[in-house]
Amino acid sequence: MSHHLPPLWKFHGGVHLEKCANLTHTQIVPAALPEKLTVPLSQHLGEPATPIVQVGDKVLKGQVIAQCLECSEDTVTARIHAPTSGVITGIAALPVPHPSALSAPCIIIEPDGKEQWITLNPVKTCVNLTSEELRRTIAQSGIVGLGGAGFPSHLKINPGDIQTLILNGAECEPYITCDDCLMRERAEQVVIGTRILAHALGGVKRCIIAIEDNKPEAIAAIKAVLDSDDGKYQISTEQLDVISVPARYPMGGERQLIRVLTGHALPRSNLPRDFGIVVHNVGTAAAIYQAVKIGKPLISRVVTITGDGVNTRQNMEVLLGTPMSDLLAQCDVKTDVSGLIMGGPMMGLALPSASLPIIKTTNCLIASAQTAIDTVTPAMPCIRCGACEQVCPAELLPQQLYWYAKANDFDKVQRYNLFECIECGCCAYVCPSQIPLVQYYRYAKAAVRTRDAEKLQAERARERFEFRSFRLEREKAERKARHQQKRNALKKPVAGAKNVVTDKQAAIAAAQARVKAKKAAKPDKTDD
Amino acid sequence: MFVALMVAGGLALSFGLILGYASVRFRVEGNPVVDQLDELLPQTQCGKCTYPGCRPYAEAIVNEDAPINLCSPGGESTMLNIAQLLDREPLPMDEVVQEEKHRLAVINEDLCIGCTLCIQACPVDAILGASKLMHTVIAQECTGCELCLPPCPVDCIDMVEVPMTPSSWSWPSPEQSPNLINGTSVEESTTS
């Protein structure tokens, strides 16, 4: 690994954040089996899955319990598996971790404690598998991007046009350490998962595992695996590098990472794929290793439980569907916890209660004690200092966007490229007036989407109304034409009476002739 | 003098020809203002404006000087948009229309007798069915205009609110909603 690495680039803006709340345990601890698992049917982007089990069914650990029916291979959706063996006790709408705090359909499983697996079909040698087969295996294992967005991973395996595979181990938000711990403890899984991905993508020239420079242990662990394996796990001829990137928020943003590693500044209209790049999270790579090499579908993930509301801050291997309150209890939660955030402090989601389940995209839970919340001051007026523009990694004008979003001027927000905003929260973080800028952008984005959808609906309604009017006109004209024809038919005898009479007489004569012929023919036949 | 007259006359003639040709060549079909107005209207085709659809109402505003405050599904925002487009004075809305939730017609299948009256009433052909066979509403196409309600002889059509799901939910404005992240409401100061 002594070859020369190309220099790194820089992205605009960003902020330097201190690594907060050191862990009390650095090892990944398996969480206890809860009394009840609530598995939401939509833990990923795209179409929710449909249950294929019924209440009362017994399921095995790893059994498919929900999948999108009537979906093609390219539909954005993911399968859901039973996280443990047990009985389905209900399929109902229950609160899920979502900003709306609304309920969504979930499958409730009561574990039997036996942890009985389905028959696992591990793949010994991946070389023999085509990328199509690997893609199917990954799709069947229900793997989605574990970095936070939850985009189904198999859809990012498009062989042929990818030259660079980037493994995102940047994990730039403070507090979150699940990827860091995963890379330290399961470096081999990450490396093999990366190799499998590279093989599935076919034609990848370069693999990069990008890790922020504040995680030296993780970098060392991955490098150790790469040095010791000596290409043992190498499937194809790609070159695999570990690159340490500067710790600057939001380094873990897909586009920011691509910018730093390759120099490409991707506009929103382009996917990384258009530049021959694809980015996967390191946790996803480990999940792909589990799915292919061991045969286990995605039924658990590593979650960081931290914040000053818990006495034991640690990373836990958690079954999907485990109630958050169970985890907090296992982490020695303090009594005065007032807020719970899913995700990091910058982009995380404040949760209304701790009874919600862990889902595929839950990377971190931050429990905050009473004191931290009380210090929040109300927003002050914007003083146009421009600090937000200095830190925006998407190179937008957050202040202008704020004014236009506030004034509901949705044409202007689009002209100022609102949809390039990655909602990283840098602008709100540096805002001296503490304006909740990201919320304005989220609101404006939602309003624009709603407006566009309504426009589309109105357009369809107009088309249908116009077609109906046209149809009614046409029917009227047709009816008129029919009446005219009938009237003409009645009129005809008067005009050419003779003609008609002769026609009729001819017809009668012909019929009589036919009958005669028949009669003449019949006796002959009976005689024979 | 004569030359000047000839030049002026020649110019007049040639410009006249150009204009005459242009008026034939670049002829505008229909009234573009009606199209623009139709674009602003919500296309529910509900007839609450007393005209038989959105386009007829747009035509009436342009040709018959109909009042611009008749569209109740569009509400005040639509009226203001029309006022801006036509440079007319905004009028108060007749009835106070709240931001109504989107509602859909749903046929109670146990009661439907298959009379086809609602099919004929639907302005966007969103009801499917045949004589003496059960009818059903195509949910994606229903505009919620309620025109199918009065003709039904057995009162089997209900307007049902579309329930909010996490996928149909959208972020509220921080101006009017409690701050979700901080758990406190955003208090904008009133200084201008």
Side-chain angles (χ1 to χ4, degrees), chain A residues 457-473:
Chain A
Q457 190 74 30
E459 196 53 50
R460 271 162 69 123
R462 189 206 324 274
E463 264 169 36
R464 290 180 77 87
F465 174 70
E466 275 165 11
F467 179 75
R468 181 177 181 267
S469 311
F470 162 75
R471 179 172 62 80
L472 292 180
E473 280 299 310

Side-chain angles (χ1 to χ4, degrees), chain A residues 136-157:
Chain A
R136 207 173 308 131
T137 308
I138 291 167
Q140 284 168 352
S141 304
I143 294 175
V144 303
L146 296 180
F151 186 78
S153 297
H154 66 278
L155 298 176
K156 283 181 18 181
I157 298 175

Side-chain angles (χ1 to χ4, degrees), chain A residues 28 61 117 120-123 126 137-138 141 143 146 182 185-186 188-190 192-194 196 282-302 317:
Chain A
I28 301 173
K61 188 169 182 155
W117 273 97
L120 303 179
N121 297 314
V123 179
C126 297
T137 308
I138 291 167
S141 304
I143 294 175
L146 296 180
L182 185 100
E185 282 187 32
R186 303 178 188 169
E188 202 175 82
Q189 297 189 9
V190 174
I192 299 173
T194 309
I196 294 170
V282 286
T284 315
I288 287 172
Y289 163 84
Q290 295 271 344
V292 177
K293 283 285 187 184
I294 304 179
K296 290 182 180 175
L298 182 63
I299 54 161
S300 68
R301 67 158 296 146
V302 182
E317 175 86 37

Side-chain angles (χ1 to χ4, degrees), chain A residues 187-508:
Chain A
E188 202 175 82
Q189 297 189 9
V190 174
V191 171
I192 299 173
T194 309
R195 301 269 197 218
I196 294 170
L197 267 171
H199 176 61
L201 286 164
V204 171
K205 304 240 167 25
R206 201 167 168 225
C207 291
I208 303 169
I209 302 182
I211 307 171
E212 274 193 331
D213 57 14
N214 59 4
K215 303 175 186 46
E217 297 94 339
I219 297 173
I222 300 271
K223 275 194 173 152
V225 170
L226 285 181
D227 289 342
S228 68
D229 84 344
D230 241 354
K232 189 170 70 188
Y233 303 116
Q234 188 141 359
I235 298 167
S236 42
T237 53
E238 83 284 343
Q239 166 198 339
L240 207 163
D241 296 320
V242 180
I243 294 185
S244 151
V245 290
R248 185 164 188 82
Y249 181 79
M251 183 59 78
E254 189 177 61
R255 275 146 211 259
Q256 280 64 41
L257 196 59
I258 290 173
R259 169 88 185 145
V260 166
L261 293 173
T262 68
H264 289 303
L266 264 61
R268 199 179 79 90
S269 47
N270 283 102
L271 288 171
R273 197 175 137 185
D274 301 337
F275 287 79
I277 304 168
V278 70
V279 183
H280 284 275
N281 179 263
V282 286
T284 315
I288 287 172
Y289 163 84
Q290 295 271 344
V292 177
K293 283 285 187 184
I294 304 179
K296 290 182 180 175
L298 182 63
I299 54 161
S300 68
R301 67 158 296 146
V302 182
V303 181
T304 311
I305 294 114
T306 182
D308 51 7
V310 287
N311 287 319
T312 314
R313 295 185 289 274
Q314 58 185 354
N315 281 290
M316 300 180 95
E317 175 86 37
V318 184
L319 291 181
L320 303 174
T322 306
M324 292 172 182
S325 48
D326 269 37
L327 297 179
L328 293 177
Q330 286 170 54
C331 291
D332 215 354
V333 68
K334 292 176 187 167
T335 45
D336 59 346
V337 168
S338 62
L340 188 62
I341 294 171
M342 182 176 110
M346 297 295 282
M347 294 180 74
L349 169 71
L351 299 174
S353 94
S355 60
L356 303 171
I358 295 288
I359 59 171
K360 289 179 182 175
T361 52
T362 313
N363 48 6
C364 181
L365 282 183
I366 306 175
S368 40
Q370 199 76 47
T371 45
I373 282 286
D374 285 349
T375 53
V376 173
T377 49
M380 304 295 284
C382 172
I383 56 169
R384 290 196 182 267
C385 62
C388 46
E389 182 275 320
Q390 302 282 314
V391 297
C392 179
E395 296 177 59
L396 300 174
L397 299 174
Q399 184 187 300
Q400 292 307 109
L401 286 172
Y402 161 65
W403 290 113
Y404 292 129
K406 203 174 143 115
N408 292 338
D409 192 340
F410 299 127
D411 293 325
K412 275 273 170 53
V413 290
Q414 275 176 289
R415 204 173 305 159
Y416 279 79
N417 299 316
L418 172 70
F419 281 90
E420 298 272 348
C421 170
I422 57 167
E423 300 175 20
C424 64
C426 285
C427 50
Y429 177 77
V430 297
C431 181
S433 297
Q434 308 194 13
I435 300 168
L437 291 164
V438 179
Q439 289 181 57
Y440 279 95
Y441 308 150
R442 283 176 178 158
Y443 157 68
K445 280 183 186 177
V448 169
R449 287 202 189 101
T450 315
R451 195 182 64 165
D452 289 352
E454 271 170 11
K455 231 181 214 167
L456 214 70
Q457 190 74 30
E459 196 53 50
R460 271 162 69 123
R462 189 206 324 274
E463 264 169 36
R464 290 180 77 87
F465 174 70
E466 275 165 11
F467 179 75
R468 181 177 181 267
S469 311
F470 162 75
R471 179 172 62 80
L472 292 180
E473 280 299 310
R474 191 187 60 196
E475 277 168 10
K476 213 168 153 189
E478 279 171 2
R479 208 176 306 135
K480 209 171 164 190
R482 263 204 312 277
H483 286 171
Q484 194 63 44
Q485 222 174 357
K486 274 192 181 161
R487 218 171 294 142
N488 287 349
L490 286 175
K491 270 180 197 164
K492 256 183 190 167
V494 186
K498 236 181 191 173
N499 222 358
V500 172
V501 170
T502 48
D503 276 359
K504 272 186 181 167
Q505 278 172 344
I508 291 166

Side-chain angles (χ1 to χ4, degrees), chain A residues 96 98-104 341 345 348-350 373 376-381 402 406 408 423 435-436 439-440 442-444 446-447 450 454-455 457-462 464-468 471, chain B residues 38-39 41-43 45 52-56 119-126 138 140-143 164-167 169-175 177-182 184-189 191:
Chain A
V96 290
H98 187 268
S100 64
L102 291 169
S103 296
I341 294 171
L349 169 71
I373 282 286
V376 173
T377 49
M380 304 295 284
Y402 161 65
K406 203 174 143 115
N408 292 338
E423 300 175 20
I435 300 168
Q439 289 181 57
Y440 279 95
R442 283 176 178 158
Y443 157 68
T450 315
E454 271 170 11
K455 231 181 214 167
Q457 190 74 30
E459 196 53 50
R460 271 162 69 123
R462 189 206 324 274
R464 290 180 77 87
F465 174 70
E466 275 165 11
F467 179 75
R468 181 177 181 267
R471 179 172 62 80
Chain B
D38 193 32
E39 201 71 23
L41 294 170
Q43 304 301 325
Q45 319 293 353
C54 292
R55 194 170 179 90
I119 296 181
Q120 291 159 39
C122 180
V124 289
D125 282 341
I138 309 169
Q140 293 107 295
E141 310 295 351
C142 177
T143 63
M164 180 91 87
T165 60
S167 51
W169 175 87
S170 59
W171 285 94
S173 163
E175 308 267 298
S177 72
N179 183 335
L180 280 170
I181 301 290
N182 296 331
T184 54
S185 69
V186 184
E187 284 157 38
E188 287 286 327
S189 76
T191 49

